[in-house]
Amino acid sequence: MEQNEMKYFDFEICGVKRKLPYVKIKEGLALASFVCLSDTELIEAVAPELVKRLPPVDYLMTAEAKGMCLTYEMSRLMGMKEFIVARKSRKPYMQDPIGCTLTSVTTQAEQTLYLNGSDAEKIRGKRVALIDDVIATGESIRAIEELAKQAGAIVAAKAAILAELETARRSDVIFLKEHYVFRPDNEGNYEPIRTMEEYRKQIGAQ
């Protein structure tokens, strides 16, 4: 019974404390699950801090779905009338959509993001900040960046609440705190994986 007991990672950011459950995403790999999608208190705490760090931009752009609440709050604070969302499926209303495929560390599955042609027109030649909740391997933000560039936008910034692995050492990503991917052991302990080299080694070992 004790072996199956849920364990938590003690987490704090901008004065907000949370207990994040460890979630095994595949053999030998786990996350301390950070979900801000419905966390109003946390979003209201972190959004102003990210806004302070952004350079001047014309639009904010994110991917469906976990970054949407954050991007909404940031755009509201910045006095913007709208923000741009890349969708995870091609919707019937989309006209001349553009797409980009990625593999996410969270889902461990291949996904394609789509940008509506009308949204692509809005950001053509405009300065865009790409927003996500967590940037781990960088695949998701790379896909959003590719969509923005295909649309002719100028990517002025990439920003997230948390950065994992080597993203935390990148100079081109704005973030508030480093977070970790974990290696669980047979005793129920979780060891942080801090680099892409360790991560790839762990993935390859399974």
Side-chain angles (χ1 to χ4, degrees), residues 121-173:
E121 284 295 322
K122 290 174 186 175
I123 63 174
R124 180 165 292 135
K126 302 295 186 180
R127 299 165 300 176
V128 175
L130 311 179
I131 311 297
D132 208 346
D133 60 335
V134 182
I135 303 178
T137 62
E139 274 293 294
S140 296
I141 209 77
R142 181 198 62 77
I144 306 171
E145 183 174 14
E146 178 61 28
L147 289 176
K149 288 180 176 178
Q150 285 186 46
I154 301 160
V155 177
K158 296 169 234 180
I161 302 170
L162 306 178
E164 296 176 345
L165 302 170
E166 289 179 4
T167 298
R169 265 127 327 253
R170 285 172 54 176
S171 60
D172 64 329
V173 174

Side-chain angles (χ1 to χ4, degrees), residues 31-60:
L31 301 176
S33 182
F34 174 81
V35 180
C36 68
L37 184 60
S38 58
D39 196 331
T40 304
E41 181 187 24
L42 190 144
I43 291 292
E44 288 185 346
V46 301
E49 294 304 313
L50 278 175
V51 167
K52 288 177 190 176
R53 291 163 168 76
L54 289 183
V57 295
D58 303 300
Y59 281 95
L60 302 182

